[in-house]
Amino acid sequence: MSIRLPTKAARRAVALASAVGLALVAAGCGDGGGAQASDGKKPAAHASTRKDGGAGSPAADSTKVIGEMKGADGIVVTLHSVIRDPGGFVTVNGTVSNHGTRPFNAIGWGPHETELKSRSSISGATLVDEAGKKRYLVLRDTNGECLCTTGLSGLMPGASRPVFAQFPAPPAKVTEVDFQLPTMPPATVQITD
């Protein structure tokens, strides 16, 4: 048993380092699947979807609150935007805050799929179109990694962190969905174009 504990710790450390590296690579690569202009910048249509004129980063519009989810141990997820992209996906942006008294790890927010390398993520999030009776799961890249915030471990009391998740876009007529995270109550939010 004593041999197994260091091995688990080492695997977790490697997984965390890999998740952080992948998150940094994913954040710096492309525009999430949408088209790019010939100069490498995002098209104006994508930038104009932001009400604040921001560049589309998860923290760019953190003062706007469109929904809030309160979980156990003082964990609060504040939703800032749910934006439909012309590329055929929806991006949910928010902030996770630890108002509790102990560090938070998002282990319970990831699905129990064996191919996922980061369990400390919001990969278990879903969008639900109740009227259309359809559930949308977080998109995955070609390696099976979620197109979402990963490495959500060790969020200390009083700290917060921007989060995002990308989903396939519901039909254009769908403007209201429920955003769900495991262990938390859902939040009904409006999709903006």
Side-chain angles (χ1 to χ4, degrees):
M1 184 75 170
S2 63
I3 294 173
R4 186 173 169 105
L5 289 176
T7 303
K8 278 186 175 180
R11 277 192 236 142
R12 286 183 183 151
V14 169
L16 178 59
S18 298
V20 170
L22 286 171
L24 292 173
V25 169
C29 293
D31 64 352
Q36 288 189 347
S38 60
D39 63 358
K41 295 181 182 176
K42 292 182 183 178
H46 180 71
S48 68
T49 61
R50 302 280 307 186
K51 300 282 188 246
D52 64 346
S57 76
D61 196 10
S62 63
T63 59
K64 183 178 180 182
V65 176
I66 63 168
E68 189 173 78
M69 305 160 70
K70 294 183 179 181
D73 299 324
I75 300 303
V76 176
V77 176
T78 306
L79 301 175
H80 305 300
S81 64
V82 180
I83 301 171
R84 186 186 309 269
D85 189 277
F89 58 88
V90 169
T91 303
V92 176
N93 293 301
T95 303
V96 60
S97 303
N98 185 350
H99 298 288
T101 58
R102 56 186 179 175
F104 171 71
N105 296 308
I107 300 297
W109 288 357
H112 301 291
E113 299 170 10
T114 57
E115 72 270 7
L116 292 178
K117 294 176 181 74
S118 176
R119 302 253 184 257
S120 300
S121 69
I122 61 172
S123 59
T126 59
L127 285 184
V128 177
D129 169 14
E130 286 194 21
K133 299 183 184 338
K134 191 157 186 182
R135 178 181 303 267
Y136 298 89
L137 304 177
V138 175
L139 291 170
R140 305 276 196 253
D141 67 15
T142 55
N143 293 324
E145 291 294 325
C146 74
L147 296 179
C148 67
T149 301
T150 60
L152 275 176
S153 61
L155 185 64
M156 300 306 287
S160 59
R161 179 164 173 208
V163 293
F164 81 98
Q166 291 185 328
F167 302 88
K173 66 180 180 177
V174 176
T175 58
E176 184 177 272
V177 291
D178 287 342
F179 179 74
Q180 298 179 344
L181 273 171
T183 75
M184 300 190 95
T188 302
V189 290
Q190 299 291 320
I191 298 174
T192 58
D193 291 321

